[in-house]
Amino acid sequence: MATTHEVTNQPPPLVGHDLFTGDLALAETVRRLGAETAGLRALGTLAGTAQAQRWGVDANAYPPVLRTHDRYGNRIDEVEFHPAYHRLLTEAVGHGLAGAPWAAVEPTPHTRRAAGFYVWSQVEAGHGCPVSMTYAVLPALRHEPSLAAAYEPGLTSTTYEPGLRAGKTGLLAGMGMTEKQGGSDVRANRTTAVDAGAGSWRLTGHKWFCSAPMCDLFLVLAQVPGAGLTCFLVPRVLPSGDRNVFRLQRLKDKLGNRSNASSEVEFEDTVGWAVGPVGRGLHTILEMVRVTRLDCVLGSAALMRAAVAQAVHHATHRSAFGGILRDKPLMAAVLADLAVESEAATALGLRLAAAADAGEDDFGRLATAVAKFWVCKRAPAVAGEALECLGGNGYVEESGMPRLYREAPLNSLWEGAGNINSLDVLRVLARQPEGLAALLDELAPARAAEPRLERAAATLERELGAAADPVDLRAGARRLVERLAVLLQAALLVRHGHPAVADAFCASRVAGDRGAAFGTLPPGLDLATIVERATPKVG
């Protein structure tokens, strides 16, 4: 009897691959920086398992649910998550991806952690929000040593303890800045704080976006009458064990990032403690923002890698028009172009983390804002093109590509959208010119080795020198930041990347021999080598 349904010419599931050692761009960079560990290798193996992938699927298929009251009518303001979400967080915190690097004594804790965050974000991105904020809160919290002493042991712990209660050994942190009337203009905030004596304050107001509201503590901005915007630590549970007033009004219904709860929260005589000088809140919390921007870069780079891996895997196992899809010249050009973009993003993200280990503050301050703008903006384009490589299968939820596509715009919005980061770059150029000097120093060795990079960098230097003041560049700030990012990525690839990838990047992105769409690389490049490097290794 003839069968009417036979499955043929379909790629096998991308399961059983190692997301660390099988990612050559990542593994080579981490080894060069001296940050490879057995823990990273174990995390890479776990990330490629069917079990971990199932956690990512379930955490998004069963999104968080807000419980404002218990069955008796008592206000509880809690969010319930699927068990998969807790499993993801257990592994993330357990592998030191939250606050642990700040307590580490190894020489490269931030680089190691960045590689782990990059690997584990490919399993599921939403739970990375509380992980990232917990990692980022320590530099800001240390503006108030007494609070740091009280909370740092829990924040640097590798134990994940869900639920709100006193006496926990592992803590997670969040942040509340945005209000409905101001958005990115946090100076327009209306939440107020009054001195309650004995070092504490009482906050009253509303926050339009407060992600991961089940975290144990938050840094919050509020106006102190007569003094200005101030940063406060607001715990969900007070030292006495009582619940602080932290009223969750609703959860946001978001495009992506479905596993993570983003909420509106209301304060009414909510207890908080000032972090840093009164009236200097923006300066204080920007310490946290800068570090979370690093994770925006890493998260976007991870998303690109996940999308490219799926596209290459599909094209490797799918036949069309008489041959393997990846061998077709047009598809090879698309896959190589995507792989070049992914490798460049990975190199830049890890360089920023290495700067944190080395204490390169001048370089890190400018380069992080530059990278946050550019890498996060490349993610949606990469995700969309990679999805198209799977054809109609990529548009189906079961492929996982729609989840990547919905997630892709997020990091460009969080911690300052494109215009905010562009203006921050101009601010650094105006106030801290040593940042530009450090970035140019980073380019110097590669400029000497690559004429295309030398020409582009010299042109940019002339234009910057012709501007009387960085403010004069405001209308073209996006163009400036994009060029800085591309030159920085090119320099990293020329110095440390594979020659085929560096050549393709310089020819297309630096010299400009490329169209607007992916797959428009110039002729003469080693596309086969680039695609092979991007191929996930299964088994």
Side-chain angles (χ1 to χ4, degrees):
M1 182 177 178
T3 61
T4 60
H5 180 75
E6 183 180 0
V7 178
T8 61
N9 195 27
Q10 289 289 333
L14 182 50
V15 177
H17 62 302
D18 187 329
L19 271 67
F20 178 68
T21 60
D23 182 347
L24 296 183
L26 172 67
E28 290 168 0
T29 303
V30 171
R31 288 168 190 150
R32 175 175 57 81
L33 295 171
E36 183 177 8
T37 64
L40 265 180
R41 293 191 294 271
L43 187 63
T45 301
L46 176 61
T49 63
Q51 180 185 48
Q53 292 183 20
R54 186 77 248 171
W55 293 339
V57 170
D58 287 346
N60 284 270
Y62 305 97
V65 177
L66 174 61
R67 306 293 186 197
T68 56
H69 297 77
D70 66 14
R71 59 178 291 195
Y72 305 106
N74 299 305
R75 187 100 197 189
I76 57 173
D77 295 299
E78 294 187 3
V79 180
E80 292 181 1
F81 295 90
H82 189 273
Y85 179 86
H86 295 300
R87 289 303 304 268
L88 290 164
L89 271 174
T90 297
E91 297 295 339
V93 175
H95 280 85
L97 308 185
W102 300 103
V105 295
E106 62 186 281
T108 58
H110 296 285
T111 304
R112 179 201 55 76
R113 182 262 172 195
F117 186 81
Y118 170 98
V119 165
W120 199 239
S121 292
Q122 294 177 56
V123 178
E124 201 285 316
H127 80 287
C129 176
V131 174
S132 178
M133 292 191 294
T134 304
Y135 171 60
V137 76
L138 267 301
L141 192 59
R142 286 174 174 176
H143 281 267
E144 201 61 46
S146 62
L147 293 175
Y151 287 99
E152 192 163 324
L155 294 168
T156 58
S157 170
T158 54
T159 300
Y160 170 59
E161 294 184 74
L164 300 175
R165 61 185 180 277
K168 293 170 62 173
T169 58
L171 302 175
L172 294 179
M175 175 170 51
M177 294 203 307
T178 307
E179 297 186 7
K180 53 185 174 290
Q181 74 284 344
S184 296
D185 183 9
V186 295
R187 290 183 177 86
N189 281 9
R190 295 177 182 173
T191 297
T192 59
V194 296
D195 192 341
S200 69
W201 298 72
R202 297 295 184 271
L203 280 65
T204 300
H206 178 267
K207 295 297 178 181
W208 189 238
F209 271 99
C210 180
S211 283
M214 287 301 288
C215 286
D216 301 285
L217 57 107
F218 294 80
L219 291 191
V220 172
L221 291 179
Q223 300 282 2
V224 172
L229 204 61
T230 302
C231 182
F232 294 91
L233 182 146
V234 174
R236 288 294 316 262
V237 178
L238 297 170
S240 64
D242 296 328
R243 295 279 184 98
N244 206 358
V245 180
F246 202 94
R247 295 182 182 141
L248 304 181
Q249 294 186 316
R250 62 170 175 165
L251 300 185
K252 300 289 192 179
D253 187 8
K254 298 170 292 183
L255 168 67
N257 202 245
R258 308 288 291 185
S259 71
N260 178 43
S262 296
S263 64
E264 293 177 32
V265 60
E266 187 176 47
F267 304 135
E268 184 177 358
D269 287 332
T270 299
V271 178
W273 290 272
V275 180
V278 173
R280 294 276 290 165
L282 188 56
H283 171 78
T284 301
I285 208 167
L286 280 179
E287 294 278 356
M288 184 176 184
V289 169
R290 175 183 157 189
V291 180
T292 50
R293 283 177 174 175
L294 166 60
D295 277 4
C296 288
V297 175
L298 294 169
S300 290
L303 185 148
M304 284 191 255
R305 170 56 189 167
V308 172
Q310 288 288 348
V312 174
H313 177 74
H314 177 89
T316 299
H317 295 276
R318 178 81 165 176
S319 295
F321 307 108
I324 298 298
L325 196 54
R326 71 180 271 176
D327 294 335
K328 303 299 179 182
L330 276 176
M331 180 56 78
V334 170
L335 295 174
D337 211 352
L338 290 170
V340 166
E341 196 72 45
S342 174
E343 286 213 27
T346 301
L348 183 50
L350 289 173
R351 176 64 183 92
L352 297 176
D357 281 322
E360 297 174 279
D361 289 339
D362 293 337
F363 172 79
R365 191 173 293 109
L366 178 60
T368 300
V370 166
K372 164 64 168 67
F373 172 88
W374 182 238
V375 173
C376 296
K377 288 201 173 299
R378 300 306 293 151
V382 169
E385 193 69 54
L387 183 154
E388 188 175 326
C389 291
L390 277 66
N393 289 332
Y395 205 68
V396 175
E397 287 291 340
E398 291 169 312
S399 72
M401 300 302 283
R403 174 153 61 93
L404 291 178
Y405 191 64
R406 288 192 298 270
E407 192 75 27
L410 177 63
N411 284 322
S412 194
L413 293 166
W414 272 0
E415 312 310 342
N419 288 348
I420 296 297
N421 275 270
S422 298
L423 293 173
D424 282 352
V425 169
L426 294 188
R427 193 172 297 112
V428 173
L429 293 177
R431 299 178 182 177
Q432 298 163 312
E434 58 272 18
L436 178 60
L439 193 148
L440 293 176
D441 286 346
E442 183 75 15
L443 301 182
R447 289 175 65 173
E450 172 50 68
R452 291 168 295 193
L453 178 57
E454 168 58 30
R455 288 191 293 271
T459 299
L460 181 62
E461 279 191 284
R462 286 194 298 271
E463 293 176 6
L464 287 172
D469 190 299
V471 173
D472 298 338
L473 302 168
R474 184 171 295 170
R478 281 180 169 235
R479 174 177 165 82
L480 168 63
V481 176
E482 176 180 330
R483 293 166 72 191
L484 287 171
V486 168
L487 293 179
L488 186 52
Q489 288 179 319
L492 292 169
L493 292 175
V494 167
R495 292 180 65 194
H496 308 298
H498 191 281
V501 177
D503 183 32
F505 191 92
C506 288
S508 57
R509 276 74 168 171
V510 177
D513 190 357
R514 178 176 182 259
F518 283 103
T520 56
L521 293 169
L525 301 174
D526 188 356
L527 303 186
T529 295
I530 296 171
V531 175
E532 180 57 33
R533 283 179 57 80
T535 304
K537 309 302 186 289
V538 179

